[in-house]
Amino acid sequence: MSHENACIAHDSVTVYYGEDYTAGCLYKFVANVPGNLSSGTMYVLKLDSSLSSNGAPLKSTGVWIQVPNTTKAQRNFAYDFAANLGGTPFDGVEDAEIGPDSMIYFTSKIYGRVYRFNDNGNAVTNFESYVGGRSYLINHYNGPTNVAWGTGNDNLAFDNEGNLWVFQDGGNNYIWVIKKGHTPST
């Protein structure tokens, strides 16, 4: 597995992380003991429908599928197990973060999107493209310009005001600030 950034939930048990691989998936690890990540159960996200050719979700629901994770061989070939179990490929998952709204956010480097969803334990709801996959009207010092979002979404960070910062290491290498209250349609 080509691990990328991970985030640990406030429960000190749940970890979300991605796989920086062409067909990389999103994973969840639930530790057996709070604060001790040496043992637990690993899951891969499987959406109820595949993504469109440009990475847009076709449905807003999914499930977590348990991935074998008890032997060294299983851990070394987690990608193969996840793919065989039907894990949804997101093409280069670089980062995952838990937002101030308790939704899980993660990037897709190749699709050029930031996705978000609610984790309800075994199921995922409200799965959507939060930002990306389109052009946005940006107000510059010399007036508004339509700017394509682009690819290379790498890192995410929320500031104390609830704005999402997206750092891209591809395309134009932009740093985007997505204001609190942003919706996918706006």
Side-chain angles (χ1 to χ4, degrees):
M1 176 179 285
S2 300
H3 292 96
E4 271 291 342
N5 290 344
C7 66
I8 302 173
H10 294 295
D11 63 8
S12 299
V13 171
T14 309
V15 181
Y16 298 94
Y17 56 98
E19 185 174 20
D20 184 10
Y21 179 70
T22 303
C25 296
L26 182 72
Y27 297 89
K28 175 170 80 169
F29 181 81
V30 180
N32 292 333
V33 177
N36 181 346
L37 303 179
S38 65
S39 65
T41 306
M42 181 176 161
Y43 301 91
V44 64
L45 179 58
K46 179 182 180 184
L47 296 179
D48 289 338
S49 177
S50 60
L51 300 172
S52 72
S53 61
N54 69 355
L58 301 175
K59 291 194 175 183
S60 63
T61 55
V63 294
W64 293 105
I65 305 292
Q66 186 173 344
V67 178
N69 189 40
T70 55
T71 69
K72 184 176 180 179
Q74 289 170 338
R75 292 179 183 130
N76 285 343
F77 296 99
Y79 168 76
D80 292 331
F81 286 102
N84 289 335
L85 292 167
T88 301
F90 292 102
D91 287 354
V93 179
E94 294 277 339
D95 197 1
E97 293 293 330
I98 301 170
D101 56 3
S102 300
M103 294 183 85
I104 311 305
Y105 292 73
F106 71 98
T107 63
S108 169
K109 178 171 57 179
I110 305 302
Y111 286 136
R113 294 176 185 270
V114 175
Y115 299 103
R116 73 176 179 176
F117 63 89
N118 291 105
D119 183 358
N120 301 320
N122 294 326
V124 165
T125 57
N126 301 316
F127 188 93
E128 64 184 350
S129 286
Y130 179 62
V131 67
R134 59 184 285 189
S135 293
Y136 292 91
L137 188 63
I138 305 297
N139 291 314
H140 296 280
Y141 63 91
N142 57 351
T145 307
N146 235 350
V147 178
W149 178 262
T151 61
N153 296 323
D154 198 21
N155 297 107
L156 301 174
F158 283 95
D159 62 25
N160 291 337
E161 296 177 13
N163 301 310
L164 176 63
W165 293 67
V166 182
F167 305 86
Q168 295 177 324
D169 70 352
N172 291 319
N173 295 306
Y174 286 146
I175 298 174
W176 294 80
V177 181
I178 314 304
K179 290 183 179 180
K180 179 182 179 179
H182 167 84
T183 66
S185 62
T186 61

